[in-house]
Amino acid sequence: MTPKQRKLAYELISNPPTGSDIAAAKEYGIDLTLLVENLALTPTERALKLIEGANSLRLLRLAGSAHRAKL
Amino acid sequence: MKLEEVLRALYNEDVEVVLIGGGAMQLQGSAYTTEDLDFCYARTKQNMARLARALAPYHPRLRGDPEGLPFHFDASTIERGSNFTLETDLGALDFLGHVAGFTDYDAVKNASETIRIFGIECQVLSLAGLIRAKEAAGRKKDLEAVIELKGLLQIRKKTKLK
């Protein structure tokens, strides 16, 4: 992502055109900064993030199950 | 999740698959997080045999089924079924013969793009394809994802980012 693209992306998500899909996502509560930062990553970097997220979710699920089992 | 190992296992056996679902969403730039990997696979005899061969070393079993239930993920099992939700030594893997919004594997492949991950060329469902699949699936969580995906698609188009 070039500095120019980053600037444009942040301008877009800060003030999305009325009625646009970006505006709808923002209004719905989507954190658009996360999308822009993901677009700055290479596919392999996104894949590594996917793995990290999946493993974190798994650990959280297992911790939740262990906690419930104690109740 | 062992994404690299999964991709390598499928690649080494020349299995025709397209990454779909949450994994594809994240590779396309979404902030969605998932614990499993979903693939659409070609339902040719040759490909089903390749898929079975690729997964065999990783002990595929049906997710959620009681331990010890007899299940062999071989070509004939795949041919008799269509969509499989599996637990494997590489993590949770779903293989779908049919995807909502698409007629068959070729239609899914036509809506995919080649992305190089860990040095492996992978077919990944495009943002437009993901939107189509999610809209067709139509569950609440799918329609919520569509809002993000459409916003993401517009950001990509306007900034020319990939």
Side-chain angles (χ1 to χ4, degrees), chain B residues 67-142:
Chain B
E67 289 278 331
L69 199 74
F71 174 73
H72 296 288
F73 191 68
D74 54 21
S76 62
T77 299
I78 301 171
E79 192 168 2
R80 283 196 302 273
S82 173
N83 294 356
F84 297 89
T85 53
L86 304 174
E87 189 60 52
T88 74
D89 299 347
L90 300 178
L93 303 176
D94 295 351
F95 287 90
L96 280 63
H98 298 96
V99 178
F102 294 91
T103 49
D104 55 17
Y105 171 80
D106 288 336
V108 175
K109 192 179 176 190
N110 286 339
S112 73
E113 47 197 60
T114 307
I115 298 182
R116 199 172 174 82
I117 311 158
F118 302 121
I120 304 166
E121 303 229 315
C122 307
Q123 291 306 123
V124 179
L125 194 56
S126 65
L127 268 182
L130 284 162
I131 291 167
R132 181 172 157 186
K134 295 283 176 192
E135 283 182 333
R139 297 167 298 184
K140 188 170 179 278
K141 69 170 189 171
D142 296 310

Side-chain angles (χ1 to χ4, degrees), chain A residues 8-48:
Chain A
L8 175 59
Y10 272 95
E11 280 170 4
L12 258 177
I13 65 170
S14 300
N15 294 299
T18 308
S20 67
D21 288 335
I22 303 171
K26 186 173 184 174
E27 199 170 306
Y28 191 75
I30 307 288
D31 186 342
L32 300 174
T33 62
L34 293 176
L35 307 187
V36 173
E37 293 309 319
N38 281 346
L39 292 178
L41 302 175
T42 66
T44 295
E45 286 170 334
R46 288 180 206 167
L48 290 171

Side-chain angles (χ1 to χ4, degrees), chain B:
Chain B
M1 177 196 288
K2 295 182 177 171
L3 175 62
E4 185 174 357
E5 290 89 337
V6 172
L7 297 178
R8 224 165 271 292
L10 296 170
Y11 178 82
N12 287 343
E13 289 291 344
D14 284 326
V15 188
E16 285 184 78
V17 289
V18 175
L19 180 65
I20 60 172
M25 283 175 65
Q26 198 156 348
L27 287 175
Q28 295 289 3
S30 160
Y32 185 85
T33 307
T34 183
E35 210 179 318
D36 62 3
L37 292 172
D38 303 328
F39 294 91
C40 175
Y41 66 95
R43 283 187 58 79
T44 60
K45 276 191 185 300
Q46 188 183 42
N47 197 54
M48 290 187 277
R50 287 172 176 173
L51 176 58
R53 208 160 46 234
L55 291 192
Y58 307 105
H59 310 105
R61 55 253 181 218
L62 287 174
R63 200 152 70 238
D65 269 14
E67 289 278 331
L69 199 74
F71 174 73
H72 296 288
F73 191 68
D74 54 21
S76 62
T77 299
I78 301 171
E79 192 168 2
R80 283 196 302 273
S82 173
N83 294 356
F84 297 89
T85 53
L86 304 174
E87 189 60 52
T88 74
D89 299 347
L90 300 178
L93 303 176
D94 295 351
F95 287 90
L96 280 63
H98 298 96
V99 178
F102 294 91
T103 49
D104 55 17
Y105 171 80
D106 288 336
V108 175
K109 192 179 176 190
N110 286 339
S112 73
E113 47 197 60
T114 307
I115 298 182
R116 199 172 174 82
I117 311 158
F118 302 121
I120 304 166
E121 303 229 315
C122 307
Q123 291 306 123
V124 179
L125 194 56
S126 65
L127 268 182
L130 284 162
I131 291 167
R132 181 172 157 186
K134 295 283 176 192
E135 283 182 333
R139 297 167 298 184
K140 188 170 179 278
K141 69 170 189 171
D142 296 310
L143 299 177
E144 284 173 350
V146 167
I147 297 168
E148 187 211 30
L149 292 171
K150 283 186 171 177
L152 177 60
L153 184 61
Q154 204 164 50
I155 292 171
R156 280 184 23 170
K157 278 183 179 167
K158 286 187 180 290
T159 59
K160 301 197 186 327
L161 286 165
K162 294 256 176 171

